Amino acid sequence: MNYLDNQVFLETAEILKVIGHPIRLCILKGLYIEGEKNVTTMQGCLNIPQSTVSQHIGILKNKGIIKGKRNGLEINYSICNEKVIKILETLLKEELI
């Protein structure tokens, strides 16, 4: 059996590549611990330009890791991928992040 032919491994590797960036991992940790947030709130916590946060939010959203819910003029984001939630639970439990 060739493990690289296994779709589960390919999908998991893609998720790990996307969440492996420090800013994206920090965004996800904040969403996991504190729940829904908008870009402005995330930007204040991360202390980086809003355009940088928006760029990383776009990547996470395009990969189906987070979703946005419009609330008036702002969009609140939350994690919608169960694999990512399990990965974050493990990393937090082991105090790796």
Side-chain angles (χ1 to χ4, degrees):
M1 175 180 173
N2 183 350
Y3 287 112
L4 290 179
D5 290 339
N6 189 326
Q7 191 63 28
V8 173
F9 286 106
L10 295 172
E11 290 171 5
T12 302
E14 185 62 30
I15 287 171
L16 291 171
K17 281 193 277 186
V18 173
I19 70 172
H21 190 283
I23 292 174
R24 292 193 285 269
L25 192 55
C26 189
I27 289 169
L28 291 169
K29 180 182 178 182
L31 291 174
Y32 179 81
I33 292 172
E34 299 173 22
E36 288 186 356
K37 289 184 171 225
N38 62 35
V39 172
T40 304
T41 305
M42 286 184 236
Q43 184 263 333
C45 293
L46 293 166
N47 201 26
I48 57 175
Q50 188 168 336
S51 60
T52 303
V53 176
S54 294
Q55 180 183 15
H56 288 285
I57 289 292
I59 292 167
L60 292 167
K61 192 174 170 191
N62 287 338
K63 294 295 182 177
I65 294 172
I66 64 171
K67 64 180 179 179
K69 182 173 73 176
R70 184 164 291 283
N71 183 17
L73 296 176
E74 63 185 30
I75 299 174
N76 291 311
Y77 294 95
S78 61
I79 302 169
C80 62
N81 185 299
E82 287 300 317
K83 279 188 180 181
V84 171
I85 291 170
K86 289 179 184 178
I87 292 167
L88 290 169
E89 287 172 350
T90 301
L91 291 173
L92 289 166
K93 178 181 170 190
E94 299 298 323
E95 297 180 0
L96 297 173
I97 59 171

